[in-house]
Amino acid sequence: MDNPTAAKLLIECLDLTSLGDKDKNETIHALCQKAVTDHGSVASVCIYPQFINYAKNILPENFKIATVINFPQGLANNTLMEKESLSAIEYGADELDIVFPYQTFLSGDIDFCKEYLDIARETCQDKILKIIIESGELKTIENIKKATQLCIDADVNFVKTSTGKTKVSATPQAANAILETIAKSGKNIGFKASGGIKTMYDAKTYLTLAQSIMGTNWVNSSHFRIGASSLLDDLIKTIEQGY
């Protein structure tokens, strides 16, 4: 796939993100203004829950809004996760990116992790549920695959690499492990790479990887997402320069 074609597909699969500590209405306004480009619309905007109502007044009708839950710590607190999720849905969130209790997972309490995922799935109902496993903190491929399988068993919609708030975010190695586990399961589960993806080259690495493992037709916004804040400008540049 040539770069301009890949860039157009990546725009369609982009969760245009702003999760800064100093975000305010003006930040979200600027983000939403970029969500519809001359080369297509992004898949969603991903913002903190308190900005959802504001964003809805700027974005086109029915535009998808994603938000983050239990973010970024991934606390082992089912009540907090459920409360934040219900509140986000009430605000109008279409997609919930919920942080996996990865530290609890690393401590060996797999039963709690299973319960957490089951509650997340039940609470989100028909909303798109993405679980952020924080792959950089899981360290090993074995852990990444095991956490991914727990998510698959809970019927989440997407397994997502990272919050972007830790030292190590998305890596091709982690993405490969997640995608291989999804492929082996045979289930209709999507993949999202996020954290540190800033250039067309970065994003195309994950696009190509997903196509090689899952097949070309699989890669669309229903199965494949990139979460990024500054990537969009480089994608547009790639399309407009033609290479």
Side-chain angles (χ1 to χ4, degrees):
M1 184 181 292
D2 64 48
N3 285 345
T5 302
K8 289 179 182 178
L9 178 55
L10 285 163
I11 287 175
E12 295 172 7
C13 296
L14 179 62
D15 286 349
L16 185 61
T17 302
S18 187
L19 296 169
D21 294 337
K22 297 181 180 179
D23 282 1
K24 50 188 178 181
N25 284 350
E26 291 80 3
T27 314
I28 304 307
H29 190 278
L31 185 83
C32 292
Q33 293 283 57
K34 295 174 66 175
V36 180
T37 80
D38 292 337
H39 309 287
S41 299
V42 302
S44 79
V45 296
C46 185
I47 55 180
Y48 283 121
Q50 62 264 34
F51 295 114
I52 293 173
N53 283 331
Y54 182 80
K56 279 186 169 292
N57 291 324
I58 303 167
L59 293 164
E61 190 175 358
N62 297 322
F63 202 97
K64 299 299 183 187
I65 297 178
T67 195
V68 289
I69 303 297
N70 199 11
F71 185 93
Q73 297 92 346
L75 300 174
N77 188 328
N78 288 332
T79 301
L80 176 66
M81 179 269 290
E82 184 178 13
K83 182 179 178 180
E84 287 187 358
S85 298
L86 290 172
S87 179
I89 292 168
E90 189 174 339
Y91 284 142
D94 302 291
E95 306 183 356
L96 286 80
D97 293 27
I98 301 180
V99 184
F100 183 65
Y102 59 91
Q103 292 171 332
T104 302
F105 171 86
L106 290 171
S107 77
D109 192 348
I110 304 304
D111 287 340
F112 179 87
C113 294
K114 289 179 178 179
E115 181 185 19
Y116 181 95
L117 291 170
D118 286 342
I119 291 172
R121 178 68 279 173
E122 183 179 354
T123 303
C124 288
Q125 300 175 28
D126 61 342
K127 304 301 180 184
I128 297 296
L129 171 60
K130 310 188 196 101
I131 295 293
I132 308 170
I133 62 171
E134 202 66 282
S135 55
E137 295 296 300
L138 297 182
K139 307 291 186 185
T140 69
I141 295 301
E142 181 183 0
N143 281 340
I144 291 169
K145 288 188 171 185
K146 188 173 182 180
T148 298
Q149 188 61 54
L150 291 177
C151 294
I152 293 168
D153 293 342
D155 290 324
V156 309
N157 299 105
F158 285 81
V159 179
K160 176 178 172 181
T161 59
S162 323
T163 61
K165 304 291 187 180
T166 57
K167 187 175 181 180
V168 178
S169 291
T171 65
Q173 294 78 13
N176 186 79
I178 294 168
L179 286 162
E180 283 187 343
T181 306
I182 292 171
K184 185 177 179 180
S185 77
K187 288 194 173 183
N188 187 30
I189 308 290
F191 165 74
K192 178 175 175 178
S194 65
I197 302 171
K198 298 180 179 179
T199 68
M200 167 67 192
Y201 174 81
D202 294 334
K204 193 177 180 183
T205 298
Y206 294 102
L207 174 64
T208 303
L209 186 62
Q211 288 177 325
S212 67
I213 294 173
M214 307 301 294
T216 302
N217 293 335
W218 184 87
V219 179
N220 54 57
S221 62
S222 295
H223 301 117
F224 178 80
R225 300 284 182 90
I226 295 285
S229 55
S230 59
L231 172 64
L232 182 59
D233 290 341
D234 203 44
L235 297 179
I236 291 171
K237 178 182 176 182
T238 299
I239 294 168
E240 293 183 348
Q241 70 187 11
Y243 60 89

